[in-house]
Amino acid sequence: MSVRVRFAPSPTGYLHVGGARTALYNYLYARRRGGTFILRIEDTDAARSTPESLAAILDGLRWLGLNWDEGPEAGGTHGPYFQSQRGEHYHAHAGTLRGAGRAYPCYCTAAELEARREAQLARGEPPRYDGRCRGLDEAARARLAAEGRTAALRFALPGPGETAWEDIVRGRVSFRNEVLDDFVVIRSDGLPTYNYACVVDDHAMEITDVVRGDDHISNTPRQLLLYQALGWTLPRFAHVPMILGDDGSRLSKRHGAASVAAYRELGFLPEALVNFLALLGWSFDGQRELFSLAELEQVFLLERVGSNPAVFNLEKLEWMNGQHLKRLSEDERVRRVEAFLASRGYDLSARPPEWRAALVRAIGDRLKTLADAERYGVFALRDRLEVDPEAWAELRAKPEVGPRLATLGERLAADAEFSLASLERVTRRLAEELGIKAGELMSAARVALTGRRVAPGLFEVMALLGRERAVSRLRGAAARWAGESPHARV
C-alpha cells in the first residue's frame, strides 16, 4: 500500500515551529516513500478558529516549500479536508458504535463532572469518569432527557488489559486500560472530540502512518481502541520528540520567536529553517549538517528520529542561515535581500542593480540573516543618520577629529574618480599627510558616515553613499563638533 500521511493543524493561531517540524517530517516521509502528503484542517473549535490563522498556516507551509498533495486549495478524492464540513461522517460512525454497544449516552452535566473530579482529587485519586451513565436503562435515560439534559456520547472501554503498539520512533508503548476512562466521542453540542474525529478522518482518508509529536502519546490508546471497536485497520504510529527551549522547558514565546512567520520576519531563509527543523530529532550520519529540502527528501528516514527531546538553539539556526545564504548565487542573494528590505519599507527599485549587489557584497560575511542587510546597511538605506551616542562621545573627546573629517570631505569632493581604489588612496594619503595611522582616520570617518563603530569596509561605505552624501556627512560631522546633535539628515 502506498504511504499516506497527514498534517492536521487547528486554525486557532500561528504555525508554531513545533507544528512546522511535524509537517516537515510527514512531508519528507511521504516524499522518501513516494507517498501522499495530506493537509487536513481540524476546525471544529468554531469559537477559536479564524480565517487569519488558516491563512497563516497555509502561507507558512508554502513558504517552507511543504506543498501538500491533497487538502485545502489542492483538492483531492478524500475530502472535504475541513473537519467542520465532515459532521455526517462522525455521526454515522457514532451510530455504529452505539449499535454495537461500544458507546452510550451520558447525561452528566459539566457542573456534576467537575464536582466529582474535585472530590476524587481530594481523596488522592486520579480524576476519571466514574461510568455512572453506562448502566442506565432506557427508562432512566428517558427521565434524564425529560429533565432537559442533552446527552454526550461516551465510548465504552473494553475492560481490564492493556492497549499497546509498536511505535516507529519509541518502540513498544503500552497503557493499562485501567488508567483510561469512558471518554466522550460526541459532545452534548453534537461536535466530535479530537480523538474520535481524528480516527474517523484518518480511516476515511486512508492514512497509513500517523507521524506527530509525542505529546499525543496519551491519546493513542484511546484511538487504537476506537479503531478496534470499528473494525478498521490500524495505521502505524511515530511519535517524534518535543522541542525544548534552552532552559529545558517546552518551546514557547518566552524563549523568543515561536512561529514560522516570526522567523521569516526576522530574516531567516526557508531553506535554513527547514534544514534546522529537520535536525531537531533526526540525523543523517551524526556529522553532516547542511541539507537542501530536495536532499532531505532523498535521505530522510523516520527510523533515524531519536526519542529524546531536541533543544532549539538560536545561535545554531543563525549559523545555518548564514551558510545557506552563502550557498545562494549572488544574484539570488541580492534578490532575497531586496525582497526582505521591501517588506521593511525600503524601496530599492530606483537603485541600479550594481548598487544593490555592492550593498550585499559590502556586508559580506556579516550577513547571517536577511535582517543584517538592514542592520549593517541602514546607513545607506536611510537619509537620516542615527549616530550611536557612545561612538559619538568618543569622537567628541578628540578635538582634532573635526578638522580631519572636514579635510577628508574636501578631498573626496575633489576626487574625480570616486572608485574604491581612489577612495582608499585619498584617505590613506591624507592620514600620511596628517602624520597619523590610517586606521585612526578611518575609524573616525566610519562613525561620521555610518553612525557606528562596526560597519562594512570604509571605502565600500563611501562608494555606497555616493559622493554627495559621503561629503555631506563628513562636513556635517565636522560642523557639529561645536556641540550640536549628531543626528542629521545627510
Side-chain angles (χ1 to χ4, degrees):
M1 180 184 294
S2 176
V3 163
R4 290 176 61 83
V5 296
R6 50 73 170 174
F7 175 55
S10 297
T12 56
Y14 52 77
L15 178 59
H16 189 279
V17 292
R21 188 197 58 175
T22 298
L24 173 63
Y25 281 5
N26 276 280
Y27 171 90
L28 294 175
Y29 184 62
R31 293 293 175 266
R32 180 77 159 80
R33 302 285 293 272
T36 303
F37 174 51
I38 300 164
L39 177 63
R40 184 175 74 227
I41 304 301
E42 299 189 340
D43 60 343
T44 54
D45 187 348
R48 297 176 59 222
S49 298
T50 66
E52 293 77 16
S53 294
L54 174 61
I57 291 169
L58 300 184
D59 186 55
L61 292 174
R62 287 196 198 94
W63 181 70
L64 293 171
L66 308 184
N67 300 311
W68 52 98
D69 303 304
E70 296 180 22
E73 300 179 356
T77 59
H78 293 73
Y81 295 94
F82 290 83
Q83 284 190 335
S84 60
Q85 300 171 16
R86 299 180 61 82
E88 61 185 76
H89 297 271
Y90 308 132
H91 287 279
H93 294 299
T96 299
L97 286 173
R98 187 169 181 183
R102 297 306 307 273
Y104 61 90
C106 173
Y107 294 89
C108 298
T109 66
E112 289 170 343
L113 293 172
E114 181 59 26
R116 292 174 209 154
R117 178 181 181 277
E118 291 179 357
Q120 288 171 332
L121 290 172
R123 293 193 299 269
E125 301 172 1
R128 59 201 304 270
Y129 181 63
D130 59 11
R132 67 180 57 197
C133 286
R134 184 168 181 168
L136 295 177
D137 58 24
E138 289 303 320
R141 290 169 181 166
R143 285 195 301 273
L144 291 170
E147 294 176 8
R149 298 185 181 225
T150 303
L153 190 68
R154 286 186 181 272
F155 180 74
L157 286 177
E162 71 170 12
T163 300
W165 72 96
E166 194 66 29
D167 198 278
I168 297 174
V169 172
R170 303 179 67 88
R172 188 176 189 278
V173 182
S174 66
F175 282 77
R176 299 297 303 175
N177 291 346
E178 293 90 319
V179 305
L180 307 175
D181 60 4
D182 289 356
F183 56 91
V184 173
V185 293
I186 300 290
R187 299 186 183 92
S188 60
D189 60 5
L191 292 176
T193 59
Y194 164 77
N195 281 315
Y196 175 64
C198 179
V199 167
V200 171
D201 289 343
D202 284 350
H203 170 74
M205 295 179 184
E206 300 181 359
I207 300 302
T208 61
D209 298 80
V210 175
V211 182
R212 58 190 180 187
D214 62 8
D215 54 328
H216 283 284
I217 282 182
S218 62
N219 292 321
T220 305
R222 296 175 174 85
Q223 294 173 10
L224 290 175
L225 290 170
L226 283 167
Y227 273 104
Q228 293 165 2
L230 289 163
W232 293 341
T233 301
L234 299 176
R236 294 181 292 268
F237 286 88
H239 290 89
V240 300
M242 70 173 58
I243 302 175
L244 305 180
D246 53 13
D247 61 355
S249 62
R250 188 169 181 178
L251 187 68
S252 65
K253 284 184 178 180
R254 69 175 176 275
H255 298 109
S259 73
V260 168
Y263 284 99
R264 183 178 186 177
E265 292 169 2
L266 289 170
F268 288 91
L269 301 181
E271 297 94 327
L273 190 55
V274 161
N275 189 166
F276 180 73
L277 291 176
L279 295 179
L280 289 179
W282 171 86
S283 67
F284 177 61
D285 59 8
Q287 296 181 341
R288 181 180 174 184
E289 294 186 295
L290 297 179
F291 296 87
S292 67
L293 180 59
E295 290 168 335
L296 288 169
E297 291 175 12
Q298 298 301 312
V299 301
F300 180 82
L301 292 172
L302 271 176
E303 290 77 7
R304 294 192 66 86
V305 174
S307 59
N308 293 325
V311 176
F312 195 102
N313 186 315
L314 183 57
E315 290 184 2
K316 183 65 173 289
L317 174 57
E318 290 174 343
W319 170 83
M320 192 169 285
N321 199 74
Q323 297 302 306
H324 278 275
L325 277 166
K326 290 178 181 179
R327 283 184 160 196
L328 301 176
S329 67
E330 182 177 271
D331 287 347
E332 180 61 15
R333 191 158 52 247
V334 171
R335 189 191 70 78
R336 302 281 188 104
V337 166
E338 185 175 0
F340 177 82
L341 291 175
S343 73
R344 300 284 294 160
Y346 299 99
D347 182 5
L348 303 187
S349 60
R351 300 281 189 178
E354 179 52 36
W355 187 93
R356 303 173 210 171
L359 175 66
V360 175
R361 283 197 297 268
I363 297 171
D365 289 343
R366 290 189 177 93
L367 192 68
K368 297 294 191 298
T369 71
L370 295 174
D372 289 327
E374 180 181 20
R375 184 176 298 112
Y376 293 106
V378 67
F379 70 89
L381 297 169
R382 296 179 186 170
D383 287 330
R384 180 176 175 79
L385 178 66
E386 297 290 340
V387 181
D388 176 11
E390 291 186 8
W392 178 256
E394 285 186 11
L395 292 189
R396 290 285 293 124
K398 304 173 182 178
E400 69 279 6
V401 170
R404 292 173 181 174
L405 294 178
T407 303
L408 180 58
E410 299 311 314
R411 296 290 177 90
L412 296 188
D415 179 21
E417 185 178 337
F418 210 82
S419 66
L420 289 176
S422 69
L423 292 170
E424 181 173 5
R425 185 168 56 248
V426 166
T427 304
R428 293 187 182 279
R429 184 176 297 163
L430 175 58
E432 185 177 347
E433 293 175 11
L434 294 171
I436 61 175
K437 293 181 179 180
E440 190 175 344
L441 177 60
M442 291 167 63
S443 62
R446 181 176 290 107
V447 174
L449 293 172
T450 71
R452 303 179 181 185
R453 300 187 193 93
V454 179
L458 178 63
F459 312 117
E460 286 84 357
V461 165
M462 293 174 172
L464 286 166
L465 288 172
R467 185 195 310 277
E468 182 179 348
R469 285 203 293 174
V471 171
S472 177
R473 288 187 182 184
L474 289 169
R475 287 173 173 171
R480 293 192 302 278
W481 230 251
E484 294 91 339
S485 168
H487 307 289
R489 188 177 182 81
V490 286

